[in-house]
C-alpha cells in the first residue's frame, strides 16, 4: 500500500487552466474524497493520477516514485468509472480477470483471486453473465470487483455511485467503506455529493475551479470551514449568509438589511468591518428563548417531510432557512423568534471571503 | 385499416422504383427473339436462362473475376490503412485532427472522372500501368479510403472512451487496448463499412476503363460497356450478363440491409 | 526494446496509425489534384505524356477550351443536369421520406429496399435504363403509349433534344435512395412533441409542414443538397452507358467531356483544364457541405 503525493500539479487544455497548483498528500491506506461543484476538475485530477491525462507541470508520486511519465499500466492503480466501463464483449468473469490475464498470472492464482473477490462482493452466481444482462447495481459491483481483484497499490473512484438509485447508493456507500477497511488500500474517491464525501472519507478535499479550497477531516470542514465557499458547500441545506457590519464596540455585528437587529460574534472584530455572517439551518431553533441570542423573522413557507421541516423565513428582506425536527407549529406570515448559540455563528470577510 | 392502405401504397411505390431491377431479370429470362415483339411481355412466358451462351460469348467469368480482384485489393488496402486512422481521428483531441478531417472530406468528393487524367499521366510516368489492375486498386483506394475513414470514425466514436481507459488502467498498452477492446467493439461497424467499400469498388468503372488496356484484365463494368457499344442488339444476353454480375451484390445488400442503412446515415450527417 | 515500449504507450502510436493513411491520400489524391492543375497550364499530348518538362502554355489551354464550339453546350448541359437531377431527387426523396415516416407495418424495411438502387453499379443501371428507353421495343415507350401520353415512339437516347433527359432520369433514379434515407434521418430527429405542441396550437397538416418540418430540416436539406451536387458531378458511368455524350455532343456534360478529351482524343491538357475548373466547383460545394454538417452538429 502506498502514499500518493501531488506536488504543485497544474493542467491546462490549451489556454484553459483546469487544475491550478494542486498539492495534496494522500496518506498510505487513507480514504480521500475529492468534492466540488460540477466542472471544477475532480475527474481531471483523478485521471491525472491514473495517467490517463497528461499534466502540464508538477509532480505525481505514488509510493515515493515519480510517475509523471509512466503510462497507466505501470502505475499499479485500479479505477472504478462512473459508467462502470465494463467490457461489453466479455463475461463478468473475463471482465474481472482481464488485468490478471494481461499480467500473465498463473491460472490457479487467477482462479483463486476471482473466487475470493466474487465471494466478497456476492458475485459468485453472475460470473458467466454478460454485462448487458446485469442490473445497474450488479454492474457496479462487477466494476468494483474488477478493481479489487488484483490488489492494486491505489484505488481511484470517479463518482461510482451516481448512476444508482438512492437506496442502493446508501447500501453501496457502507459496502465500499467496509471494503476499504478490509483492504486498507489507499483510495481517492471523486464525488459531487458532499454527503458521500462526509460519510465515507477520512479526509475531504474541496476543489473549486481547479484549486484546492480546503483539506481536512469531514468534521473539521463542517466545524471550521476555511472560507465562505467551503462553508456553503459542506452541509445540507446550505449555510445561510447575511451581509453585516461589525458594530462600534467590535463585539457584535449589525445586520445590514435588518431593522437594526444584532448578533454577538464569538470573536471580537475590527469595528465597521463589512462581513458575511454564516448561520447553519440546523443550528437554529424557532421559539427557543433559552439560546444565547435571538433574531426576529417572518415565516415565508414551511415544507415538512414529517421527521424534518424546512422553514423559509425572512429577516427584513433577507432569506434565512431554518430546519427543525418534527413538525413545528408555525404558519406562513407568523413572526417568530429564532434562537442560536454564539459559538454557532460564523463570520467571513466580505472581500476575500476567508473565515474570521 | 388506414395502416394497411399505407402498406399497399408503399408496396406499389417500392415495386415502381424497383421495376428496372425486375426488368433486368425479366429480360434475361426471355429468349432473344421474344425481345423484339410489341407489346413487350412484362411477365416472361417461357422463362429461359442463357447462362452458358453468355459465359461463352461475353467471357463473364473472366470479367467478374477481374472485378473481384480489384474489389478485394481495394477493400484490403482501405481497411489496413483506414481502420487505425479512423480510430485516432475519433479519439485524439489534437488540433490537427480537425484539419485532417477537413482534408479527408474534401478529398472524398473529387470525381474520379476528373482525377483519372492526372492519375493516368502520373502512373504512366511511374510505370505503374505495367500492372493495370494494381493501378486501378491504388487509384480506387484513394477514393474509398476517405469514405471508409469517415464512416468508421463514427463507429469508433460510439465506443465509450472510458472502456479504453479502463483497459489502460487494467494494464494494457495503447496498442493492446486498441486490438483487445476497440477493434472487437467496433467490429460490426467495420465489417459493414468494409462491405460497402467492397460493393463500391466491385462496381467501379472510370479507373478500370481508363487504366486497363488489355481486354484480359478488364473488369465487369468495362466489359459490359464494351458490349453495349453504340448499337447493342442482344439485350437478353446483356441483361443476363448484368444479372450474373449484380446478383451477388443484391444478395449481400439484402443480407445487410438494416446495417447498411444505419452505417450510411451515421457517417453522412454526423 | 525501450523504444518499442515507449512507442506502445505514447502519442507516437497515433502517428503510426494516421500517417500511412494520410500519406496515401496525399500521394494518390492530393498529388494528382495538384498535378492536374499543373498540366492544365502545360502542353500535354500523346507524345510528351512520358516527360516531366513540357512546354508551358499559361492560360492558353483555358482560352482554347472556351473557344471550342461545344463548350457552350457542355456548360449548359452540365448546369441543367445538376439542377434538374437535384430538383427531382430531392422532391421525390423528400416525399418518400415523409411517406415512410407514417406508421404502418414494414415501413422501415420497405424504405430500406430503395437502397438497392444505391448499391447497384451505376454502369449496370445505365445499361438497364438504356434498354428501358429503347425506341421501338422499350418498355417505357410502351407504358407511355398505353397511357396515351405519347403518340409515337420517343427516341430517348438518340434524339438530341431528349438525350440529356434520359441521363437525368436515370440519375434521379440513382439519387432517390440516398436523398430519401438522409432526409428520413433528419425527419426522425424532430421530436414528436414539437408536432403535438403545434397541433394543440391549432396548426393543420400543411401549416405544420411549413412552420415546423421545413425550418427544422433546413440544415439537413443543406447537407443533402450539397451532397447531391457532389454526387451528380461525379456521375460518369450513366453517360458512358446511355449516350456517350451523343448524339453529336448533344448530351455531353463536363466530367464526361474532360475524360473524352484526355482518353479519346488525347488532348490531355484540355482535359486537365476542364477537370481543374470542375474540381474548383466541387471543392466550393464541399465547403458548403462541411459548414452545413458543422451547423447540424451544433444544433
Ligand atoms: N478535453 C478538454 N478540453 C478542454 N477542456 C476540458 C477538457 N476536458 C475537460 N475540460 C474542462 O475541464 C474542467 C474540469 O473537467 P472535469 O471533467 O475534471 O470536471 P469534474 O469536476 O469532474 O465535473 P463533473 O462533476 O461534472 O464530472 C471543465 O471545466 C471542463 O470543461
Ligand atoms: Mg467528472
Amino acid at each position: 500500500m502506498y502514499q500518493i503525493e501531488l506536488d504543485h500539479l497544474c493542467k491546462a487544455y490549451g489556454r484553459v487552466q483546469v487544475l491550478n497548483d494542486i498539492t495534496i498528500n494522500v496518506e498510505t491506506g487513507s480514504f480521500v474524497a475529492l468534492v466540488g461543484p460540477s466542472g471544477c476538475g475532480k475527474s481531471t485530477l483523478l485521471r491525472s493520477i491514473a495517467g490517463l491525462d497528461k499534466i502540464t507541470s508538477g509532480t505525481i508520486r505514488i509510493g515515493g516514485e515519480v510517475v509523471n511519465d509512466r503510462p497507466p499500466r505501470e502505475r499499479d492503480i485500479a479505477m472504478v468509472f462512473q459508467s462502470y466501463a465494463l467490457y461489453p464483449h466479455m463475461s463478468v468473469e473475463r471482465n474481472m480477470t482481464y488485468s490478471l490475464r494481461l499480467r500473465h498470472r498463473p491460472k490457479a492464482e487467477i482462479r483463486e483471486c476471482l473466487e475470493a473477490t466474487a465471494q466478497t462482493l456476492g458475485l459468485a452466481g453472475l460470473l458467466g453473465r454478460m454485462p448487458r444482462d446485469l442490473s445497474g447495481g450488479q454492474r457496479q459491483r462487477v466494476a468494483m470487483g474488477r478493481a479489487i481483484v488484483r490488489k492494486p497499490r491505489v484505488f481511484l473512484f470517479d463518482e461510482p455511485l451516481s448512476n444508482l438509485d438512492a437506496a442502493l447508493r446508501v447500501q453501496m456507500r457502507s459496502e465500499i467503506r467496509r471494503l476499504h477497511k478490509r483492504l486498507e488500500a489507499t483510495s481517492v474517491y471523486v464525488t459531487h455529493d458532499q454527503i458521500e464525501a462526509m460519510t465515507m472519507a477520512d479526509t475531504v478535499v474541496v476543489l473549486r475551479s481547479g484549486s484546492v479550497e480546503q483539506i481536512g477531516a469531514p468534521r473539521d470542514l463542517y466545524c471550521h470551514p476555511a472560507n465562505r465557499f467551503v462553508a456553503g458547500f459542506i452541509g445540507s441545506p446550505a449555510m445561510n449568509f447575511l451581509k453585516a457590519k461589525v458594530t462600534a464596540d467590535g463585539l457584535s455585528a449589525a445586520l445590514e438589511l435588518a431593522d437594526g437587529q444584532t448578533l454577538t460574534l464569538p470573536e471580537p472584530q475590527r469595528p465597521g468591518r463589512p462581513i458575511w455572517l454564516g448561520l447553519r439551518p440546523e443550528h437554529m431553533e424557532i421559539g427557543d428563548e433559552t439560546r444565547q441570542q435571538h433574531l426576529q423573522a417572518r415565516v415565508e413557507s414551511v415544507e415538512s417531510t414529517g421527521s424534518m421541516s424546512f422553514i423559509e423565513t425572512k429577516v427584513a428582506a433577507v432569506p434565512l432557512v431554518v430546519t427543525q425536527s418534527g413538525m413545528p407549529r408555525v404558519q406562513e406570515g407568523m413572526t417568530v423568534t429564532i434562537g442560536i448559540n454564539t459559538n454557532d455563528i460564523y463570520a467571513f470577510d466580505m472581500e476575500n471571503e476567508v473565515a474570521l | 385499416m388506414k395502416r394497411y392502405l399505407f402498406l399497399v401504397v408503399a408496396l406499389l411505390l417500392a415495386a415502381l422504383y424497383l421495376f428496372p431491377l425486375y426488368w433486368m431479370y425479366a429480360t434475361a429470362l426471355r429468349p432473344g427473339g421474344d425481345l423484339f415483339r410489341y407489346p413487350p411481355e412484362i411477365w416472361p412466358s417461357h422463362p429461359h436462362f442463357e447462362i452458358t451462351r453468355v459465359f461463352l460469348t461475353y467471357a463473364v467469368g473472366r470479367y467478374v473475376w477481374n472485378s473481384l480482384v480489384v474489389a478485394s485489393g481495394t477493400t484490403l488496402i482501405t481497411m489496413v490503412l483506414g481502420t487505425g486512422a479512423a480510430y485516432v481521428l475519433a479519439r485524439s483531441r489534437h488540433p490537427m485532427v480537425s484539419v485532417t478531417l477537413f482534408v479527408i472530406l474534401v478529398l472524398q468528393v473529387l470525381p474520379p472522372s476528373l482525377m483519372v487524367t492526372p492519375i493516368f499521366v502520373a502512373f504512366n510516368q511511374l510505370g505503374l500501368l505495367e500492372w493495370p489492375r494494381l493501378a486501378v486498386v491504388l487509384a480506387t483506394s484513394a477514393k474509398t479510403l476517405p469514405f471508409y475513414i469517415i464512416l468508421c470514425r463514427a463507429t469508433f466514436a460510439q465506443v465509450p472512451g472510458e472502456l479504453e481507459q479502463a483497459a489502460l488502467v487494467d494494464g494494457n498498452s495503447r496498442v493492446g487496448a486498441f486490438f483487445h477492446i476497440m477493434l472487437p467493439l467496433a467490429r460490426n461497424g467495420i465489417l459493414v463499412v468494409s462491405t460497402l467499400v467492397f460493393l463500391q469498388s466491385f462496381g467501379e468503372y472510370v479507373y478500370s476503363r481508363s487504366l486497363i488496356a488489355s481486354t484480359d484484365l478488364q473488369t465487369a463494368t468495362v466489359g459490359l460497356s464494351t458490349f453495349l457499344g453504340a448499337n447493342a442488339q442482344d439485350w437478353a444476353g446483356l441483361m443476363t450478363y448484368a444479372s450474373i454480375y449484380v446478383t451477388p451484390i443484391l444478395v449481400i445488400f439484402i443480407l445487410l440491409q438494416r446495417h447498411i442503412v444505419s452505417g450510411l446515415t451515421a457517417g453522412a450527417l454526423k | 526494446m525501450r523504444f518499442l515500449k515507449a512507442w506502445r504507450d505514447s502519442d507516437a502510436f497515433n502517428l503510426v496509425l494516421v500517417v500511412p493513411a494520410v500519406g496515401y491520400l496525399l500521394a494518390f489524391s492530393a498529388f494528382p489534384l495538384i498535378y492536374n492543375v499543373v498540366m492544365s497550364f502545360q502542353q500535354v499530348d500523346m507524345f510528351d505524356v512520358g516527360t516531366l518538362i513540357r512546354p508551358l502554355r499559361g492560360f492558353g489551354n483555358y482560352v482554347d477550351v472556351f473557344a471550342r464550339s461545344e463548350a457552350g453546350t457542355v456548360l449548359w448541359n452540365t448546369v441543367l443536369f445538376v439542377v434538374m437531377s437535384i430538383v427531382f431527387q430531392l422532391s421525390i426523396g423528400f416525399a418518400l421520406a415523409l411517406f415512410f415516416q407514417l406508421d404502418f407495418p414494414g415501413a422501415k424495411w420497405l424504405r430500406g429496399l430503395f437502397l438497392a438502387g444505391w448499391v447497384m453499379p451505376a454502369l449496370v443501371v445505365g445499361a438497364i435504363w438504356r434498354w428501358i428507353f429503347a425506341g421501338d421495343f422499350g418498355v417505357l415507350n410502351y407504358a407511355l403509349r398505353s397511357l396515351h401520353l405519347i403518340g409515337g415512339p420517343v427516341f430517348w437516347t438518340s434524339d438530341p433534344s431528349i438525350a440529356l433527359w434520359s441521363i437525368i432520369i436515370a440519375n434521379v433514379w440513382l439519387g432517390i435512395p440516398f436523398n430519401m434515407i438522409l432526409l428520413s434521418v433528419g425527419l426522425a430527429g424532430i421530436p414528436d412533441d414539437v408536432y403535438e405542441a403545434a397541433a394543440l396550437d391549432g396548426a393543420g397538416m400543411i401549416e405544420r409542414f411549413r412552420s415546423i418540418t421545413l425550418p427544422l430540416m433546413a440544415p439537413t436539406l443543406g447537407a443533402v443538397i450539397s451532397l447531391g451536387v457532389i454526387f451528380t458531378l461525379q456521375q460518369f458511368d450513366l453517360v458512358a452507358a446511355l449516350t456517350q455524350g451523343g448524339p453529336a455532343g448533344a448530351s455531353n456534360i463536363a466530367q464526361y467531356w474532360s475524360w473524352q478529351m484526355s482518353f479519346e482524343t488525347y488532348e490531355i491538357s484540355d482535359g486537365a483544364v476542364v477537370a481543374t475548373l470542375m474540381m474548383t466547383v466541387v471543392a466550393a460545394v464541399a465547403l458548403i457541405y462541411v459548414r452545413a454538417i458543422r451547423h447540424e452538429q451544433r444544433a
Side-chain angles (χ1 to χ4, degrees):
Chain A
M1 299 307 138
Y2 293 86
Q3 186 182 18
I4 307 172
E5 295 155 281
L6 309 178
D7 204 12
H8 298 292
L9 201 120
C10 293
K11 160 96 189 156
Y13 285 112
R15 278 215 232 98
V16 189
Q17 192 78 17
V18 180
L19 295 179
N20 214 337
D21 195 26
I22 301 230
T23 301
I24 302 176
N25 201 342
V26 181
E27 296 294 338
T28 304
S30 69
F31 194 110
V32 170
L34 298 177
V35 287
S38 186
C40 69
K42 306 178 296 284
S43 298
T44 308
L45 182 55
L46 200 71
R47 295 159 49 81
S48 303
I49 299 174
L52 294 169
D53 280 348
K54 278 223 155 51
I55 55 171
T56 318
S57 65
T59 46
I60 302 177
R61 278 190 213 90
I62 298 182
E65 283 174 82
V66 177
V67 296
N68 282 21
D69 295 321
R70 298 259 190 101
R73 68 197 166 100
E74 289 172 19
R75 298 190 181 194
D76 199 6
I77 41 172
M79 186 157 168
V80 179
F81 293 84
Q82 181 172 0
S83 65
Y84 314 142
L86 300 181
Y87 310 122
H89 58 311
M90 297 184 192
S91 65
V92 167
E93 170 173 348
R94 288 171 52 80
N95 258 288
M96 285 175 55
T97 55
Y98 185 60
S99 58
L100 297 175
R101 284 182 286 130
L102 279 174
R103 288 177 171 74
H104 303 292
R105 294 285 173 74
K107 277 231 169 64
E109 186 194 328
I110 294 181
R111 192 79 241 156
E112 202 171 296
C113 292
L114 175 71
E115 268 159 20
T117 312
Q119 194 66 42
T120 315
L121 290 169
L123 289 171
L126 303 175
L127 292 180
R129 296 238 199 128
M130 296 304 270
R132 61 171 173 275
D133 302 328
L134 298 176
S135 71
Q138 291 168 332
R139 280 179 212 180
Q140 213 285 331
R141 253 169 236 270
V142 176
M144 294 284 303
R146 190 171 67 178
I148 62 179
V149 75
R150 59 175 230 248
K151 308 184 183 75
R153 303 201 268 188
V154 168
F155 279 109
L156 305 177
F157 300 85
D158 192 354
E159 311 204 19
L161 304 185
S162 58
N163 285 339
L164 299 180
D165 67 46
L168 209 48
R169 194 148 46 193
V170 172
Q171 184 195 336
M172 281 312 289
R173 220 150 69 187
S174 51
E175 213 161 302
I176 291 179
R177 191 63 213 158
R178 232 186 20 247
L179 266 175
H180 174 254
K181 281 242 171 64
R182 241 191 51 201
L183 303 170
E184 295 186 319
T186 312
S187 305
V188 181
Y189 188 102
V190 164
T191 174
H192 62 249
D193 178 353
Q194 45 123 350
I195 298 186
E196 253 173 48
M198 299 294 279
T199 52
M200 296 172 75
D202 309 317
T203 308
V204 175
V205 178
V206 182
L207 286 175
R208 172 162 67 153
S209 37
S211 304
V212 174
E213 292 286 318
Q214 189 172 1
I215 303 180
R219 217 190 132 72
D220 279 347
L221 295 192
Y222 182 80
C223 299
H224 308 290
N227 54 41
R228 186 186 158 196
F229 175 78
V230 176
F233 191 79
I234 302 288
S236 166
M239 186 184 268
N240 297 287
F241 293 102
L242 299 93
K243 277 187 184 172
K245 207 172 236 150
V246 181
T247 50
D249 58 7
L251 287 178
S252 50
L255 296 184
E256 206 168 81
L257 295 168
D259 25 13
Q261 295 194 62
T262 56
L263 287 175
T264 310
L265 294 171
E267 313 268 333
Q269 299 294 339
R270 177 167 52 78
R273 180 177 198 169
I275 58 172
W276 287 108
L277 274 181
L279 304 172
R280 289 203 186 275
E282 60 273 27
H283 286 162
M284 294 180 279
E285 186 73 31
I286 287 179
D288 187 347
E289 306 281 344
T290 63
R291 303 223 172 169
Q292 293 155 326
Q293 305 197 38
H294 307 280
L295 274 177
Q296 302 298 318
R298 224 175 72 91
V299 176
E300 293 281 314
S301 72
V302 181
E303 279 172 26
S304 186
T305 63
S307 62
M308 280 282 273
S309 297
F310 302 84
I311 299 146
E312 266 179 52
T313 67
K314 279 201 167 153
V315 178
V318 187
L320 181 77
V321 177
V322 178
T323 53
Q324 305 278 226
S325 59
M327 298 199 275
R329 285 170 204 281
V330 290
Q331 277 164 10
E332 278 172 42
M334 274 171 64
T335 301
V336 292
T337 305
I338 298 172
I340 186 163
N341 286 329
T342 309
N343 272 335
D344 292 333
I345 297 175
Y346 295 86
F348 305 94
D349 186 271
M350 184 74 84
E351 292 279 303
N352 59 19
E353 307 200 332
V354 170
L356 298 173
Chain B
M1 218 43 238
K2 215 160 131 197
R3 298 174 72 222
Y4 291 94
L5 183 70
F6 288 146
L7 176 61
V8 171
V9 176
L11 283 170
L12 286 177
L13 287 173
L16 186 65
Y17 181 78
L18 295 177
F19 177 77
L21 294 186
Y22 168 75
W23 199 233
M24 170 183 76
Y25 285 113
T27 308
L29 285 172
R30 281 187 289 171
D34 274 16
L35 295 182
F36 302 102
R37 199 186 284 163
Y38 196 87
E41 253 184 335
I42 300 296
W43 188 256
S45 47
H46 324 282
H48 162 78
F49 213 24
E50 302 181 299
I51 293 196
T52 341
R53 179 177 76 85
V54 171
F55 259 96
L56 288 178
T57 29
Y58 296 120
V60 180
R62 194 187 67 217
Y63 283 121
V64 171
W65 168 251
N66 286 332
S67 282
L68 210 57
V69 169
V70 166
S72 309
T74 305
T75 311
L76 189 72
I77 291 191
T78 307
M79 286 177 76
V80 168
L81 291 178
T83 310
Y87 155 75
V88 175
L89 293 176
R91 276 286 179 268
S92 170
R93 294 185 180 283
H94 199 275
M96 280 303 286
V97 166
S98 53
V99 179
T100 313
L101 271 178
F102 178 76
V103 170
I104 287 176
L105 266 178
V106 171
L107 292 184
Q108 190 197 359
V109 303
L110 299 176
S113 54
L114 304 174
M115 294 296 284
V116 69
T117 299
I119 284 182
F120 173 79
V121 176
F123 280 15
N124 189 23
Q125 287 169 341
L126 293 172
L128 268 174
L129 294 185
E130 298 288 311
W131 300 282
R133 286 184 298 189
L134 175 66
V136 172
V137 166
L138 290 176
T140 311
S141 300
K143 176 73 185 160
T144 51
L145 191 54
F147 171 83
Y148 180 87
I149 290 178
I150 288 167
L151 289 190
C152 267
R153 178 174 172 266
T155 302
F156 279 118
Q158 280 167 7
V159 180
E162 290 196 342
L163 285 179
E164 193 185 358
Q165 291 156 11
L168 294 179
V169 170
D170 269 351
N172 243 323
S173 61
R174 297 262 334 261
V175 182
F178 176 65
F179 282 103
H180 283 140
I181 307 297
M182 294 305 287
L183 274 191
L185 290 178
R187 190 189 58 204
N188 286 346
I190 291 175
L191 287 182
V192 169
V193 181
S194 305
T195 309
L196 290 179
V197 165
F198 183 86
L199 294 183
Q200 256 184 29
S201 42
F202 193 58
E204 200 281 329
Y205 175 60
V206 182
Y207 290 134
S208 314
R209 166 83 186 269
S210 315
L211 303 179
I212 305 179
S214 149
T215 321
D216 283 344
L217 300 177
Q218 276 168 351
T219 59
T221 45
V222 182
L224 183 58
S225 76
T226 315
F227 301 130
L228 273 177
N231 35 17
Q233 290 296 319
D234 178 19
W235 283 105
L238 289 178
M239 288 298 117
T240 309
Y241 179 121
S243 313
I244 296 170
Y245 174 32
V246 300
T247 301
I249 299 181
L250 292 174
V251 169
I252 296 179
F253 164 72
I254 289 170
L255 291 179
L256 290 183
Q257 196 223 55
R258 259 192 30 239
H259 303 283
I260 290 180
V261 175
S262 54
L264 265 184
T265 48
L269 289 175
K270 268 180 228 153
Chain C
M1 226 19 232
R2 273 274 281 290
F3 173 78
L4 196 72
K5 189 173 139 267
W7 170 81
R8 287 196 302 163
D9 285 309
S10 73
D11 293 344
F13 180 54
N14 286 347
L15 282 182
V16 170
L17 292 182
V18 172
V19 166
V22 171
Y24 188 90
L25 287 177
L26 290 181
F28 290 101
S29 210
F31 167 74
L33 184 68
I34 296 163
Y35 194 40
N36 188 56
V37 178
V38 172
M39 287 198 304
S40 73
F41 293 108
Q42 290 178 327
Q43 178 175 333
V44 194
D45 49 35
M46 271 282 259
F47 307 106
D48 47 17
V49 152
T51 57
L52 260 184
I53 314 295
R54 310 190 185 96
L56 261 185
R57 292 218 52 208
F59 280 95
N61 292 326
Y62 287 77
V63 176
D64 284 358
V65 165
F66 280 104
R68 282 164 172 260
S69 55
E70 65 267 37
T73 319
V74 170
L75 187 66
W76 171 241
N77 280 350
T78 310
V79 172
L80 198 66
F81 176 63
V82 171
V83 171
M84 287 301 145
S85 296
I86 299 291
V87 166
F88 288 110
Q89 281 176 9
L90 193 71
S91 40
I92 299 175
F94 205 175
L96 286 172
L98 286 169
F99 175 73
F100 280 99
Q101 199 70 1
L102 296 171
D103 171 46
F104 58 88
K108 277 242 166 66
W109 191 77
L110 279 168
R111 190 185 67 184
L113 272 190
F114 279 68
L115 271 180
W118 185 81
V119 295
M120 288 280 289
L123 191 101
V124 175
V125 171
I128 299 173
W129 275 100
R130 179 136 158 232
W131 169 228
I132 292 175
F133 282 136
D136 288 322
F137 306 101
V139 70
L140 181 62
N141 278 344
Y142 167 70
L144 294 177
R145 275 162 87 168
S146 317
L147 296 170
H148 300 288
L149 289 173
I150 51 172
V154 176
F155 290 89
W156 291 96
T157 54
S158 51
D159 179 340
S161 60
I162 301 184
L164 182 65
W165 285 95
S166 70
I167 306 176
I168 294 175
I169 292 174
N171 191 44
V172 169
W173 188 84
L174 266 181
I176 285 174
F178 206 72
N179 278 269
M180 173 177 81
I181 295 293
L182 291 191
L183 291 169
S184 291
V185 174
L187 284 175
I190 304 177
D192 284 342
D193 50 9
V194 180
Y195 286 112
E196 284 158 10
L200 290 180
D201 286 342
M205 270 257 288
I206 295 174
E207 180 57 26
R208 282 199 300 252
F209 178 77
R210 206 187 58 74
S211 63
I212 296 181
T213 313
L214 272 187
L216 287 179
M217 286 292 284
T220 312
L221 282 169
V224 172
I225 291 176
S226 1
L227 275 179
V229 174
I230 289 167
F231 288 144
T232 304
L233 288 176
Q234 295 193 356
Q235 193 45 262
F236 175 92
D237 307 13
L238 286 181
V239 188
L242 282 166
T243 67
Q244 285 106 38
S251 68
N252 213 353
I253 52 175
Q255 56 266 45
Y256 196 78
W257 191 39
S258 160
W259 182 86
Q260 276 184 322
M261 291 195 279
S262 297
F263 289 91
E264 286 184 348
T265 54
Y266 298 107
E267 297 154 297
I268 293 173
S269 36
D270 289 2
V273 166
V274 176
T276 304
L277 294 174
M278 289 293 290
M279 297 223 223
T280 319
V281 176
V282 172
V285 179
L287 277 182
I288 300 176
Y289 167 64
V290 172
R291 291 191 57 165
I293 54 176
R294 286 255 172 86
H295 188 85
E296 177 119 333
Q297 277 169 339
R298 243 179 285 130

